[in-house]
Amino acid sequence: MSIRHGLLALLSAGPRHGYQLRAEFVASTGASWPLNIGQVYTTLSRLERDGLVVQGEEDAQGRVSYAITDDGRAELERWFRTPSSRPTARATNWSSSWPWR
C-alpha cells in the first residue's frame, strides 16, 4: 500500500482534514507505519494536482478538509482491483551446493 492510496481510501468514507487523515492512517496500520504530517500534506498536494482530491472550505479552526473526486474514486477502484505483487525468492539451486549431495 502507498500513502497515496491509503489517503484515497480514507477519503472515500468522507471529507477529512490532514490531521484526521494522519490519525486514521496510523490507527488503520496498527501504528506499525508512522506517518509524518508533512507526508500527509505533500501527498494531498500531489493528489490535488492530479485531480484526485479537492480542497474544501476552511473551518473555524483554520483546518482545510479534502474530498475525493470521481477520478480519485476511479483510481482507488483500479488500485483495489490490481493484485499485489509478492517478492519472490531468487531462483537458486541450493541443493547442488550441499556437501552430502
Side-chain angles (χ1 to χ4, degrees):
M1 176 180 76
S2 66
I3 295 171
R4 173 185 178 96
H5 291 110
L7 296 183
L8 285 174
L10 293 170
L11 288 169
S12 71
R16 307 274 193 281
H17 59 76
Y19 282 92
Q20 284 176 306
L21 288 167
R22 180 189 172 277
E24 291 178 25
F25 186 95
V26 170
S28 68
T29 61
S32 64
W33 189 344
L35 185 62
N36 181 298
I37 194 63
Q39 291 173 293
V40 172
Y41 284 109
T42 298
T43 303
L44 286 170
S45 292
R46 290 180 182 149
L47 290 170
E48 185 177 23
R49 176 199 67 200
D50 296 342
L52 304 179
V53 302
V54 292
Q55 278 191 31
E57 297 294 317
E58 191 173 302
D59 68 11
Q61 296 171 331
R63 297 177 299 200
V64 176
S65 64
Y66 291 82
I68 193 168
T69 64
D70 288 341
D71 287 345
R73 288 186 191 285
E75 170 62 23
L76 185 60
E77 183 67 25
R78 250 188 316 278
W79 177 65
F80 278 144
R81 291 181 185 272
T82 304
S84 63
S85 59
R86 301 238 186 255
T88 58
R90 206 176 334 157
T92 304
N93 187 0
W94 292 102
S95 64
S96 64
S97 62
W98 292 345
W100 56 85
R101 188 152 208 269

